[in-house]
Amino acid sequence: MLYVVLAVVLFSIGGAAVLTRKNAIIALLGVEIMLNSCNLALVAFSRMWGNVEGQVFAFFVMVVAAAEVVVGLAIVISIFTTHRSASLDGANQLKH
């Protein structure tokens, strides 16, 4: 049960980082913390109920998180090369 509480705390910290920070790197870090907290909850529930399905889902979440990091960093590099800043305010300028 304590693992689930830790997962909720980590998810809250990640959500606060995504919602309050304007730096794209910090926002990506917040998303990664949120995904890792979901993994922790999946594994904790899997162990609590005695099956391995939660662990399999956690593995797939790790794969999706790796792909998200690649795409997210490509977007951050694109923003940085055009605006010389990693601020999320310049993200709407990528439409042109």
Side-chain angles (χ1 to χ4, degrees), residues 40-86:
L40 179 62
L42 284 169
V43 171
F45 284 130
S46 173
R47 183 171 169 92
M48 193 179 340
W49 289 330
N51 59 12
V52 296
E53 292 159 353
Q55 295 173 7
V56 172
F57 285 137
F59 177 72
F60 286 123
V61 170
M62 284 185 230
V63 171
V64 169
E68 177 260 333
V69 166
V70 170
V71 172
L73 284 177
I75 292 172
V76 169
I77 289 171
S78 175
I79 292 171
F80 186 78
T81 56
T82 57
H83 297 289
R84 296 290 178 216
S85 171

Side-chain angles (χ1 to χ4, degrees), residues 1 6 11 13-14 20-22 26-27 32 38-40 47 49 52 56 62-63 69 82 85-86 89-91:
M1 184 67 184
L6 178 62
F11 194 86
I13 291 170
T20 59
R21 302 295 180 173
K22 290 190 176 186
I26 302 298
E32 288 299 318
C38 291
N39 283 341
L40 179 62
R47 183 171 169 92
W49 289 330
V52 296
V56 172
M62 284 185 230
V63 171
V69 166
T82 57
S85 171
D89 294 333

